[in-house]
Amino acid sequence: MKILILGSTGLLGQALASSLSLKNFQVTGVARKNADINIDITEDESLLNVLKNDDYDVIINTVAIVNLKTCNDDPGLAYKVNSRPASIIANYAKNNGAYFIQISTDHYYSGDKDLLHKETDNIKLLNEYARTKYCGEVYALTSPKALVIRTNIVGFKNSESPTFVEWIVNNLENNTSMNLFNDYYTSSISVKQFSNILYDIILKRPAGILNISSGECFSKEAFIRALADKLDFSLGNSKSYSILKSGLTDRAESLGLDVSKAESIAGYKFPGLDEVIQEICNEYKNK
Ligand SMILES: NC(=O)c1ccc[n+]([C@@H]2O[C@H](COP(=O)([O-])OP(=O)(O)OC[C@H]3O[C@@H](n4cnc5c(N)ncnc54)[C@H](OP(=O)(O)O)[C@@H]3O)[C@@H](O)[C@H]2O)c1
């Protein structure tokens, strides 16, 4: 099976490319640099040329500007990267029978603590990241075969800018104190666990919106404490902290996802916090 991964050098793209290559997929990766094909996907002609380059069975779009401030500072750029390419890909996929997977976000829920949100629950669009990601979902679903995946991913990637997990580990190694958000909830899953689940989901070809994440929702504080504990680091002067009292009002913070629909398609339970932490520790120790 031939698969095209847009954003193959990112946190999720790297994990998907290595995991799916080990299965029976022939993977082609795309980014602006250091990928199999280097293009800017905001340029329509370049994007279309890549799509037509081979007879891809599956196209996965992981490309996004994930930095909230960058999106808020330049909504036009956020739209060009997070939204518009999904419409070009959906149109191509619809006409060529490809299975299109648009990676979306969980950044849609606020004010209901650790509630697990279903795919059909009401959403709130609090910032340009959420607005442009949601627009990308709508565009993707213009192809009847498209799957939009809402998720929250964590892990390691080889790049200059640290991921959330790399930031935590750096702080633990250097004994640097952190603000531990006790009211910022996510259902984070490691990118490796996500990639293995996605492989099983791809074989079933569901369409529509699907949550794929940890089966549990936990605070950032609980995540960091569990990781520090498992890696045997002290949290030193790190303190419990409220995101709701910090003035960061344009952030969604109740990001729990209900994965029961995806679990019933996959046929098994998704990892809880302990299994996610164990996976991150294994990857840390193998680095
Ligand atoms: N990270 C999270 O916490 C998180 C949480 C929930 C959902 N998500 C979603 O998961 C997906 C993957 O996120 P991620 O953290 O893996 O992102 P990432 O690490 O920032 O990777 C983004 C990828 O897209 C490429 N890219 C960016 N702009 C491009 C452009 N104009 N043309 C071509 N390629 C471009 C990047 O490579 P170049 O820069 O070299 O082009 C990179 O390969 C996104 O859709 C995001 O919204 C992420």
Side-chain angles (χ1 to χ4, degrees):
M1 214 183 300
K2 288 180 183 171
I3 182 160
L4 183 71
I5 301 179
L6 301 162
S8 59
T9 59
L11 170 62
L12 182 58
Q14 283 182 12
L16 281 173
S18 66
S19 169
L20 296 177
S21 300
L22 293 174
K23 316 267 186 184
N24 52 348
F25 283 127
Q26 190 182 318
V27 173
T28 303
V30 175
R32 283 172 299 184
K33 55 184 185 303
N34 303 326
D36 299 322
I37 303 174
N38 298 312
I39 58 150
D40 185 331
I41 73 159
T42 64
E43 291 163 9
D44 296 359
E45 204 179 321
S46 306
L47 176 56
L48 274 169
N49 283 339
V50 168
L51 296 173
K52 290 178 194 157
N53 182 45
D54 208 335
D55 205 5
Y56 297 110
D57 303 290
V58 183
I59 301 163
I60 306 181
N61 182 23
T62 76
V63 172
I65 296 176
V66 296
N67 185 293
L68 300 193
K69 185 174 182 317
T70 307
C71 292
N72 277 344
D73 288 350
D74 193 342
L77 178 66
Y79 172 77
K80 276 171 79 175
V81 178
N82 294 354
S83 316
R84 202 171 172 283
S87 93
I88 311 278
I89 303 164
N91 200 38
Y92 176 84
K94 189 164 58 180
N95 293 330
N96 292 277
Y99 184 47
F100 173 30
I101 300 176
Q102 168 76 3
I103 303 298
S104 192
T105 184
D106 56 351
H107 201 87
Y108 294 144
Y109 314 101
S110 176
D112 35 34
K113 300 187 177 166
D114 59 353
L115 186 77
L116 297 175
H117 299 88
K118 288 189 185 299
E119 291 84 350
T120 47
D121 283 356
N122 287 336
I123 63 169
K124 292 177 184 166
L125 302 176
L126 297 180
N127 50 51
E128 290 307 315
Y129 174 68
R131 287 183 196 107
T132 53
K133 289 299 291 182
Y134 185 66
C135 184
E137 292 191 2
V138 173
Y139 285 164
L141 293 174
T142 59
S143 172
K145 277 194 177 182
L147 177 68
V148 165
I149 295 179
R150 293 181 180 162
T151 189
N152 191 293
I153 42 164
V154 287
F156 297 89
K157 86 171 167 181
N158 300 318
S159 76
E160 317 88 60
S161 51
T163 65
F164 176 57
V165 159
E166 287 163 346
W167 173 79
I168 298 169
V169 167
N170 287 342
N171 287 334
L172 292 173
E173 286 173 340
N174 297 309
N175 204 16
T176 306
S177 63
M178 293 173 268
N179 290 332
L180 308 175
F181 289 123
N182 53 28
D183 51 2
Y184 183 178
Y185 300 94
T186 62
S187 299
S188 306
I189 188 169
S190 91
V191 281
K192 195 169 174 193
Q193 291 165 326
F194 176 97
S195 302
N196 289 333
I197 292 171
L198 186 59
Y199 172 77
D200 294 328
I201 295 288
I202 287 173
L203 299 181
K204 309 266 172 75
R205 292 283 203 278
I209 301 176
L210 200 60
N211 295 336
I212 298 183
S213 67
S214 167
E216 278 182 62
C217 180
F218 31 83
S219 67
K220 294 281 183 191
E221 174 169 10
F223 182 88
I224 295 174
R225 286 196 184 281
L227 187 56
D229 192 44
K230 197 86 185 171
L231 292 174
D232 223 6
F233 280 112
S234 155
L235 274 167
N237 291 326
S238 294
K239 292 214 167 52
S240 193
Y241 200 77
S242 166
I243 193 166
L244 291 172
K245 292 181 190 155
S246 69
L248 296 168
T249 49
D250 66 347
R251 273 171 195 256
E253 85 302 327
S254 297
L255 310 185
L257 296 175
D258 180 326
V259 292
S260 50
K261 183 176 163 192
E263 285 178 335
S264 73
I265 294 170
Y268 53 83
K269 286 273 170 208
F270 292 176
L273 175 61
D274 289 351
E275 290 158 286
V276 173
I277 294 294
Q278 184 62 57
E279 175 56 37
I280 296 293
C281 287
N282 295 345
E283 288 175 35
Y284 174 73
K285 284 173 185 161
N286 288 334
K287 281 182 94 61

